[in-house]
Amino acid sequence: MSNNEKSSQADLAEDARKVEQRLAAVRTAETIVRERFPDAAFAIVAGSILRGEGTPSSDIDLVVLHETLESAWRESFTTDAFPVEAFVHDFETLNWFVDQDAAGGHPVLLDMLAGGAVIGRNIERGSSLQAEASAALARGPGEIGAERRNLLRYQITDLLDDLKDERPEAEVRAIASALHQPLCDLALLGRGCWSGKGKWLPRLLLRLDPELAGRFDEAFRLAAAGQAGALVALARDELALQGGPLFEGDRRAAPSAARRQGGLPGLVFRVTN
């Protein structure tokens, strides 16, 4: 058997694995909704598995919709060997969280809604919600506002200042890590495209512009090796497209309620649910 034939067979086997994984994930989600959320109107199964990009350790994202709840919640659990992240909402709480995501330029819930599979009692209503989510994604975030642009410009400028001088490689890596999110946000939102978080950022950059994505990848790869030059040049170029560096004159007021009486010893660490 030739190498090409072996490769083709391996590709077919991987495609079959992903199809079976997708079917298994949907079956598992149906069981979850039936047993854990019997009052739900419907749910949408989402995540990399549903997109055909799942790895053996991928989880299931599950958006569960009720007619009314006292409050929304998120919970994590494992069913049939699948890690599951459940986002449980009614329609009003969903609206609030979608608005928060959209305002930040990271449409996490919209992506789940638009790209998943509808299950449960009211498939028609779920499909209608999917259509709304798809339309909202297609419209994009709109033009980046001056306040958000200036915040990103300031954050990037501040981090670039830390890269001006010679530093240990460990510090260069730490600064580069902090720079990745705001620089990607500026590049994507500044071009009128949705941004994301984590592993989504390279995907979104690639979708926008493969050459730009390659430049980002190379700059951060070199920065991980302690070489900051390419990253500094990239950040300066992206800043130039959005008004340049920002430091002098930047001012941000704290909320009037940001105060507490007493002394510093009153500080207490609290865990909130």
Side-chain angles (χ1 to χ4, degrees), residues 9-127:
Q9 285 194 352
D11 289 343
L12 289 172
E14 178 63 10
D15 289 344
R17 181 195 68 80
K18 288 180 178 179
V19 169
E20 178 53 38
Q21 185 186 37
R22 185 182 191 279
L23 293 173
V26 172
R27 289 194 298 268
T28 296
E30 289 173 336
T31 299
I32 291 168
V33 172
R34 186 168 59 251
E35 295 181 355
R36 297 179 72 112
F37 307 108
D39 296 329
F42 62 86
I44 294 180
V45 197
S48 57
I49 294 174
L50 273 291
R51 295 191 303 271
E53 301 168 353
T55 66
S57 60
S58 291
D59 64 1
I60 296 172
D61 292 325
L62 186 63
V63 185
V64 184
L65 268 297
H66 291 75
E67 292 297 337
T68 182
L69 291 171
E70 183 176 343
S71 62
W73 75 87
R74 182 201 62 78
E75 61 177 297
S76 304
F77 50 89
T78 301
T79 301
D80 294 341
F82 281 108
V84 180
E85 293 267 15
F87 304 85
V88 188
H89 289 278
D90 64 22
F91 294 92
E92 291 184 352
T93 66
L94 182 70
N95 288 341
W96 190 89
F97 277 93
V98 166
D99 289 347
Q100 298 303 301
D101 285 352
H106 309 138
V108 177
L109 270 171
L110 282 176
D111 273 319
M112 290 184 196
L113 297 172
V118 182
I119 60 174
R121 293 184 289 108
N122 200 331
I123 299 295
E124 184 176 349
R125 194 171 184 188
S127 297

Side-chain angles (χ1 to χ4, degrees), residues 45-259:
V45 197
S48 57
I49 294 174
L50 273 291
R51 295 191 303 271
E53 301 168 353
T55 66
S57 60
S58 291
D59 64 1
I60 296 172
D61 292 325
L62 186 63
V63 185
V64 184
L65 268 297
H66 291 75
E67 292 297 337
T68 182
L69 291 171
E70 183 176 343
S71 62
W73 75 87
R74 182 201 62 78
E75 61 177 297
S76 304
F77 50 89
T78 301
T79 301
D80 294 341
F82 281 108
V84 180
E85 293 267 15
F87 304 85
V88 188
H89 289 278
D90 64 22
F91 294 92
E92 291 184 352
T93 66
L94 182 70
N95 288 341
W96 190 89
F97 277 93
V98 166
D99 289 347
Q100 298 303 301
D101 285 352
H106 309 138
V108 177
L109 270 171
L110 282 176
D111 273 319
M112 290 184 196
L113 297 172
V118 182
I119 60 174
R121 293 184 289 108
N122 200 331
I123 299 295
E124 184 176 349
R125 194 171 184 188
S127 297
S128 177
L129 183 65
Q130 276 199 313
E132 291 181 36
S134 295
L137 283 176
R139 286 194 296 270
E143 184 177 349
I144 187 172
E147 184 177 357
R148 182 69 186 282
R149 178 188 289 110
N150 288 344
L151 175 59
L152 291 170
R153 288 170 60 205
Y154 176 82
Q155 290 174 331
I156 294 166
T157 301
D158 186 50
L159 289 165
L160 280 183
D161 284 343
D162 288 336
L163 289 176
K164 283 181 179 178
D165 301 318
E166 290 293 324
R167 290 184 176 275
E169 289 186 7
E171 293 186 11
V172 172
R173 285 191 288 271
I175 296 166
S177 177
L179 186 55
H180 190 259
Q181 182 73 54
L183 189 57
C184 289
D185 281 345
L186 188 68
L188 290 160
L189 296 173
R191 289 170 171 82
C193 300
W194 292 111
S195 188
K197 295 181 179 180
K199 64 188 178 185
W200 271 100
L201 289 167
R203 299 175 185 177
L204 292 169
L205 287 168
L206 186 63
R207 189 183 302 170
L208 168 67
D209 182 342
E211 184 175 343
L212 180 64
R215 189 178 178 196
F216 263 76
D217 185 54
E218 177 71 0
F220 280 95
R221 184 185 66 79
L222 290 171
Q227 303 171 43
L231 180 55
V232 170
L234 172 63
R236 286 175 175 166
D237 287 348
E238 289 301 316
L239 283 171
L241 294 174
Q242 303 298 332
L246 178 61
F247 178 79
E248 188 69 29
D250 185 68
R251 183 178 186 273
R252 303 184 188 281
S256 59
R259 60 181 72 246

